[in-house]
Amino acid sequence: MDSSDRGAGGRQLQVEVHGLDVIGDAERKGTPRTLFWPWFGANVSILGLSYGSFALGFGISFWQALAAGVIGIVFSFLLCGFVAVAGKRGSAPTMVLSRAAYGVRGNRLPSVVSWMLTVGWETVLTALATMATATVLDRLGWGGGTGTKVVALIVVGALVVVGGVMGFDLIMRLQTVITVVTGVLTVVYIGLVADHIHWSAVSAVPSGSAQEFIGALVFMMTGFGLGWVNAAADYSRYLPRDSSGRGVVGWTAFGASVAPLLLLVFGLLLAGSSTELNTAIAADPIGALTTILPTWFLIPFAAVAVLGLVGGAVLDIYSSGLALLAAGLRVPRYLAALLDGVLMIAGSIYIVFLTDDFLGQFIGFLTTLGVPVAAWCGVMLADLLLRRRDYDEADLFRTSGRYGDVEPLPLLLTLAATAIGWGLVTNTAAGWLEWQGYLLGPLGLGGKDGSWAYANLGVLAALALGFLGTLALGRGRVRTQEAGPPSRPLDVEVPGA
């Protein structure tokens, strides 16, 4: 994972054979700082600029949006860093390691939710890359209609699926290239459009309420770190066991946060300077950013936009395949990734060709799945905090082992936290989610039309309930699990290996 370890080391690329199985000591390599590459490459997307518009859409000022973004991005990626520590302590994918909390088969429920979230994200990113390509070609007079979108979707989808199927080594190579290319071209983009910033307009954006600020903060959490937390250990599992835990947390959070933070600031300045641009971003978050570019930079912009989005989608499809295996599908990892690729293409067709309300559906998707993922994250973090020993890797695959088959307490906590969380969020822009928010009235928060309706308190509530409930009630279970001697090596085939 340094120059010789990132998959380049003179070895011929091949399809990764690892699935849910534990990474052996001989294959564990690199240092925590090499986690910078996949996390930076996955989050340097031009989409980060559009989050400036999304944040201002909550009705808050530049300074409020900046504070919400900084807190939401850094805190949520710190959660990823803490979960990543489990990877180097257990050598298995994230959704296998959470079997220690939920039981081997009890963990299938959060695995399904994780799979839905990662498939959703890879679909969104692929659709955005397709729309951005079509918009650029339309501005150049080279197309932009249905045929162009079809070709763009095929090319983008192929890049994502090939990366996900090939696995770790190719992903590490891709992310290093994507990091350098997108980093340089993004700086050029910022320089070219800097004269579109008008501080007088930005500073005139009125402040919003505390509830609107909290809503933007939670949206930033779900749009960034909480969208990755269920995959956070998938790459740290390749690190040596004696790697620094602080290093794992720090390099994961730093690599993932630094680009979104810089892009958010500039995105806020652009969106606050132009009401027209701010409105256009809601319909086409990437393509709208081309409208202020000189024609000669459109091709480089298309390259940086597509590469950045592909970088995130490749990590998602890799982790979605692992989550699908953890949910119980018994096929090789590469076939699971291929299946997810088919679903990704189908979802992208819907977004690109059949809907014109991207932002409303996007917020609804993030918030709805963000609630159960936050609940899972709270359980996972508290369970990890309670542990004094590394995971017994063989028992992660045995229903008769120390981690059990189905653990009722974590499952009930997750279900209860999700039910409460969904009762405290609303998604009126997505009609299929109008049933949410059912606790806002009974709890005296003004109902679905009150001031707390869009604060998205349910995500924070689910995270807190999962974490505090596990800390309070799970200590005895963890101590019992850790009291026994190491188990015998696994003598059965691991599904998806």
Side-chain angles (χ1 to χ4, degrees):
M1 292 163 63
D2 51 28
S3 61
S4 63
D5 290 331
R6 288 193 294 268
R11 296 182 318 203
Q12 183 178 359
L13 277 176
Q14 57 186 352
V15 176
E16 182 187 356
V17 297
H18 292 298
L20 299 185
D21 53 321
V22 170
I23 305 301
D25 289 343
E27 297 182 73
R28 300 175 68 130
K29 54 198 175 184
T31 62
R33 73 174 182 275
T34 55
L35 292 173
F36 175 86
W37 297 104
W39 287 108
F40 186 90
N43 290 284
V44 71
S45 167
I46 285 289
L47 181 61
L49 290 171
S50 299
Y51 272 86
S53 172
F54 300 161
L56 291 177
F58 281 84
I60 55 179
S61 69
F62 167 82
W63 292 111
Q64 286 178 311
L66 180 61
V70 170
I71 297 170
I73 290 169
V74 173
F75 176 71
S76 63
F77 279 125
L78 277 173
L79 297 180
C80 288
F82 292 130
V83 172
V85 172
K88 70 107 178 177
R89 292 181 62 180
S91 317
T94 314
M95 297 314 298
V96 170
L97 296 169
S98 70
R99 289 174 174 176
Y102 288 89
V104 175
R105 287 194 295 182
N107 188 62
R108 289 181 179 180
L109 176 61
S111 294
V112 168
V113 175
S114 173
W115 173 72
M116 293 171 61
L117 180 65
T118 47
V119 170
W121 262 114
E122 70 204 41
T123 299
V124 166
L125 296 176
T126 299
L128 287 175
T130 300
M131 292 189 293
T133 302
T135 300
V136 168
L137 294 180
D138 182 54
R139 279 204 61 199
L140 290 170
W142 298 351
T146 300
T148 302
K149 292 177 180 178
V150 170
V151 174
L153 179 56
I154 291 172
V155 173
V156 172
L159 287 172
V160 175
V161 171
V162 168
V165 168
M166 292 296 290
F168 181 79
D169 279 351
L170 179 58
I171 288 173
M172 294 302 289
R173 292 193 192 191
L174 281 174
Q175 297 301 72
T176 304
V177 172
I178 288 171
T179 295
V180 175
V181 174
T182 55
V184 171
L185 291 180
T186 299
V187 171
V188 175
Y189 174 89
I190 290 174
L192 289 174
V193 302
D195 60 344
H196 288 268
I197 294 174
H198 306 290
W199 179 247
S200 58
V202 175
S203 60
V205 176
S207 297
S209 65
Q211 294 91 333
E212 290 166 331
F213 171 81
I214 294 172
L217 168 64
V218 175
F219 176 75
M220 288 295 175
M221 289 176 58
T222 55
F224 288 98
L226 281 179
W228 287 109
V229 70
N230 54 313
D234 292 355
Y235 302 92
S236 56
R237 66 181 175 138
Y238 284 88
L239 292 175
R241 298 176 191 278
D242 60 356
S243 299
S244 165
R246 290 184 179 180
V248 170
V249 175
W251 283 106
T252 297
F254 175 67
S257 297
V258 61
L261 288 172
L262 296 174
L263 291 168
L264 173 69
V265 173
F266 199 75
L268 286 170
L269 292 171
L270 282 176
S273 299
S274 169
T275 302
E276 182 180 354
L277 177 63
N278 196 10
T279 302
I281 287 174
D284 186 358
I286 305 296
L289 298 172
T290 68
T291 60
I292 54 177
L293 277 175
T295 302
W296 66 266
F297 192 71
L298 289 176
I299 293 298
F301 175 86
V304 67
V306 170
L307 281 176
L309 294 166
V310 165
V314 165
L315 260 68
D316 275 317
I317 196 171
Y318 179 77
S319 293
S320 70
L322 294 175
L324 188 55
L325 297 178
L329 185 67
R330 300 179 68 88
V331 298
R333 181 204 60 80
Y334 63 88
L335 285 181
L338 187 60
L339 174 60
D340 287 350
V342 173
L343 295 174
M344 175 192 77
I345 297 297
S348 298
I349 290 173
Y350 172 77
I351 294 175
V352 173
F353 298 104
L354 301 177
T355 184
D356 56 1
D357 180 21
F358 169 80
L359 184 57
Q361 305 297 326
F362 181 52
I363 293 177
F365 159 72
L366 284 182
T367 306
T368 300
L369 287 185
V371 169
V373 168
W376 169 87
C377 181
V379 171
M380 179 70 178
L381 288 174
D383 182 82
L384 180 63
L385 182 63
L386 290 172
R387 296 189 181 277
R388 299 293 178 263
R389 296 166 56 183
D390 288 348
Y391 295 96
D392 188 300
E393 293 162 353
D395 275 353
L396 289 170
F397 300 91
R398 292 193 185 100
T399 57
S400 59
R402 71 187 66 215
Y403 303 124
D405 186 8
V406 177
E407 287 290 340
L409 174 62
L411 282 171
L412 290 174
L413 269 176
T414 303
L415 291 172
T418 299
I420 293 172
W422 280 340
L424 295 172
V425 298
T426 57
N427 287 287
T428 55
W432 52 284
L433 296 173
E434 290 180 354
W435 55 271
Q436 295 176 348
Y438 45 80
L439 292 179
L440 291 168
L443 294 180
L445 296 174
K448 296 184 180 182
D449 298 319
S451 58
W452 287 100
Y454 304 104
N456 292 326
L457 290 177
V459 176
L460 298 178
L463 178 65
L465 287 170
F467 183 78
L468 295 175
T470 303
L471 274 186
L473 304 173
R475 189 178 304 273
R477 174 179 53 84
V478 172
R479 292 293 171 263
T480 300
Q481 290 176 353
E482 295 189 332
S487 63
R488 57 183 173 82
L490 198 66
D491 56 3
V492 296
E493 181 180 356
V494 175

